[in-house]
Amino acid sequence: MTFDERALRVPGPVIELARTLQDAGFPTWCVGGAVRDALLGLPLLDWDLATAATPAEVRRLFRRTIPVGIEFGTVGVLDRDGRMHEVTTFRRDVQTDGRHAVVEFGASLDQDLARRDFTINAIAFDPIARRLHDPFAGREDLVAGVVRAVGVAEERMREDRLRALRAIRFASRFGFSIDADTWQAIRSSASHLTRLSPERVKQEIDKTLDQVEAPSQAFGRWRDAGAFAAVVPALRDVSDDTLAAIDRLPRPGAVTRPLRRSLRLAALFSELEGKEAERALKALRASNQEIGVVGIVVDRWRRFGAELTAQLTSGGLPGDPALRRMAADIGRLRVNAFLRLGAALWAGDTRIAPAVVRQLFRRLMRIAFRDPIEVADLAVDGDDLRQHGLRAGPELGRVLQKLRQLVIDDPARNTRDELLRLAADLVASPSGAEEQAGS
Ligand code: ATP
Ligand code: MG
């Protein structure tokens, strides 16, 4: 297989931007991910441009610009369709500390390409002359399917520790291997990954979950290289079976779907206690929303997973009262996520028949949405109880919770008369009614 310029279909509006810059005397090239992906035949690309023009010159040449990253030399330019493209001034690194690169403008295209991370990301294409410039033979690595550092791998990883994680992501995303020197450098850089900010690490995890169809290989490499030990110690010994479950959950895709990402995260953290997963995500600066969802799903998996697995292995399902208690504890709106995580994990367990998992799915979902499992489902509410003599306050809340438990055990009791009678009993002799609740 070979690649040639014909595979590079640069959209008209992007060619116009490049032409404006070139006509003003500034060499301008398409670079980076879009050139790589176009050569691989992938659709839907973000075309970025690299140019000899300074940010100020770029802003003078175009009417509609957005200063997205002026300090790094990047100006967002809106094309005639209102789509933004990043136009970045050629730069070279003058100093690095493994976290941030200090860049300098006034560099040549070759210097700009030399500071890029991998050969497959360092291919430039002139969309007007339709000419490729590929000083590091990135095309050969695309054909061979290899992720290889530009220059000396060890040095490049030292300059920016994130590159180790990026290499692993690109390899798994495209099904490429990692060049031996590059892999060696990744392994020896792992203990230094602690220098990365938690935000950058989390972003790499997210990009892996979003972009990579089957992330188990990538996270297996994080583990094997020692990256998890450095940046998410709780995952240092994560098992292959657990990682395989992530692959069975759908990718969030181009339009980010937060629940899908949370589910994949829950699978990644499913060997931990809910609280441990929450702590690890908090350390990675995950949003409270995400910590909440993942924490609950993981916690409930830890609470009910083993029991359910045992049942499913024997070919049966728990009875309705047990399933109702589970649904109530998981929460109606989380049952689906819980089951999807379970199904992804059970799919790797040869003792469990897929049909019995589907049966559980249907039963538990039906119970969660049909049966009374929440206080709001009770045939009485706080007002009813007050009208029948209960005082407002904590006692009222406790009575409602006890009624909920009684109804979860026996939904037939969820009638107004029965609940008012039970409430009166509860108030008259709280302990006696409690015994009833347990019966
Ligand atoms: P993606 O599809 O994930 O966006 P990409 O290759 O476009 O892939 P970006 O993170 O958008 O990746 O970066 C754009 C380009 O900038 C890369 O192709 C690479 O040439 C360069 N680059 C990005 N991050 C680094 C880095 N840490 N070190 C060196 N070069 C980098
Ligand atoms: Mg990109």
Side-chain angles (χ1 to χ4, degrees):
M1 184 167 48
T2 53
F3 296 111
D4 62 49
E5 298 77 48
R6 275 169 302 199
L8 286 150
R9 275 185 271 285
V10 183
V14 176
I15 297 179
E16 276 174 29
L17 303 188
R19 195 184 300 281
T20 302
L21 285 155
Q22 290 195 3
D23 286 351
F26 303 111
T28 299
W29 297 75
C30 297
V31 288
V35 177
R36 177 198 66 217
D37 291 356
L39 288 169
L40 287 173
L42 302 175
L44 285 175
L45 316 173
D46 270 340
W47 289 91
D48 297 333
L49 295 172
T51 182
T54 63
E57 285 161 340
V58 174
R59 295 180 80 181
R60 261 201 303 280
L61 279 170
F62 298 98
R63 199 147 10 100
R64 296 196 295 166
T65 63
I66 301 160
V68 287
I70 292 285
E71 62 278 36
F72 311 110
T74 304
V75 177
V77 178
L78 300 181
D79 67 20
R80 65 166 133 94
D81 300 332
R83 261 190 77 119
M84 195 194 79
H85 304 278
E86 293 192 353
V87 178
T88 305
T89 306
F90 294 151
R91 18 178 215 183
R92 64 197 163 107
D93 293 337
V94 288
Q95 183 201 325
T96 53
D97 60 2
R99 286 169 71 111
H100 315 280
V102 178
V103 295
E104 193 175 82
F105 304 138
S108 66
L109 172 66
D110 279 326
Q111 285 172 322
D112 185 87
L113 294 177
R115 70 170 284 283
R116 293 173 184 270
D117 44 10
F118 308 110
T119 62
I120 58 171
N121 288 349
I123 307 171
F125 180 66
D126 178 337
I128 315 280
R130 294 199 58 76
R131 190 163 69 86
L132 277 163
H133 184 63
D134 182 18
F136 303 103
R139 254 182 313 173
E140 276 175 35
D141 284 336
L142 276 180
V143 173
V146 179
V147 175
R148 183 194 314 275
V150 168
V152 181
E154 197 72 42
E155 283 171 20
R156 304 312 310 284
M157 301 297 162
R158 201 174 317 126
E159 286 166 7
D160 180 356
R161 298 296 179 186
L162 194 72
R163 289 174 186 156
L165 303 179
R166 285 173 58 85
I168 291 173
R169 168 162 56 91
F170 287 121
S172 293
R173 180 170 160 198
F174 301 126
F176 283 14
S177 61
I178 300 177
D179 153 73
D181 282 351
T182 304
W183 176 245
Q184 184 49 44
I186 291 169
R187 289 181 38 168
S188 54
S189 77
S191 64
H192 302 282
L193 290 175
T194 47
R195 293 181 56 71
L196 292 173
S197 70
E199 289 84 357
R200 288 183 92 197
V201 173
K202 177 61 164 57
Q203 198 180 33
E204 263 316 309
I205 292 176
D206 289 348
K207 282 189 172 182
T208 303
L209 295 172
D210 291 359
Q211 294 179 340
V212 181
E213 195 61 45
S216 62
Q217 183 197 42
F219 290 127
R221 283 176 166 145
W222 282 52
R223 179 194 59 207
D224 298 344
F228 273 143
V231 294
V232 195
L235 295 178
R236 67 190 311 155
D237 295 319
V238 62
S239 74
D240 287 337
D241 284 347
T242 293
L243 294 180
I246 306 174
D247 300 355
R248 301 189 192 103
L249 291 161
R251 200 154 74 78
V255 189
T256 303
R257 301 192 211 178
L259 186 63
R260 284 190 173 189
R261 189 196 279 166
S262 298
L263 258 179
R264 284 188 144 198
L265 269 178
L268 177 61
F269 285 99
S270 62
E271 286 174 19
L272 309 183
E273 297 301 325
K275 286 283 168 234
E276 278 181 290
E278 286 182 13
R279 270 196 299 278
L281 283 167
K282 204 172 158 69
L284 289 168
R285 312 283 191 272
S287 70
N288 288 336
Q289 157 84 13
E290 187 169 68
I291 296 172
V293 175
V294 176
I296 287 188
V297 174
V298 170
D299 178 76
R300 301 308 190 268
W301 172 253
R302 300 293 300 172
R303 203 180 300 171
F304 303 119
E307 180 188 335
L308 280 171
T309 302
Q311 282 274 351
L312 295 175
T313 304
S314 74
L317 295 184
D320 277 6
L323 288 178
R324 244 186 330 266
R325 278 191 292 273
M326 263 180 219
D329 268 4
I330 296 165
R332 180 169 285 153
L333 298 180
R334 295 278 175 246
V335 168
N336 186 268
F338 171 88
L339 284 167
R340 282 163 68 189
L341 171 64
L345 287 158
W346 289 319
D349 190 332
T350 51
R351 300 166 306 167
I352 295 176
V356 81
V357 175
R358 283 196 296 276
Q359 226 181 332
L360 171 69
F361 219 105
R362 281 194 299 271
R363 279 269 290 285
L364 195 59
M365 285 301 285
R366 183 150 32 82
I367 281 174
F369 283 92
R370 177 199 65 189
D371 286 357
I373 56 173
E374 292 178 0
V375 165
D377 303 331
L378 295 175
V380 296
D381 61 15
D383 287 341
D384 296 325
L385 296 185
R386 272 201 305 278
Q387 277 162 24
H388 283 76
L390 260 85
R391 263 197 309 278
E395 173 65 12
L396 189 76
R398 269 195 298 276
V399 170
L400 283 168
Q401 283 303 337
K402 285 210 182 111
L403 292 178
R404 170 175 170 251
Q405 290 307 329
L406 292 168
V407 162
I408 287 170
D409 288 336
D410 181 4
R413 294 181 128 174
N414 194 25
T415 65
R416 192 179 151 80
D417 287 350
E418 175 74 353
L419 295 187
L420 289 174
R421 194 183 61 72
L422 286 166
D425 285 356
L426 281 165
V427 174
S429 90
S431 55
E434 228 166 314
E435 270 162 36
Q436 249 188 357
S439 69

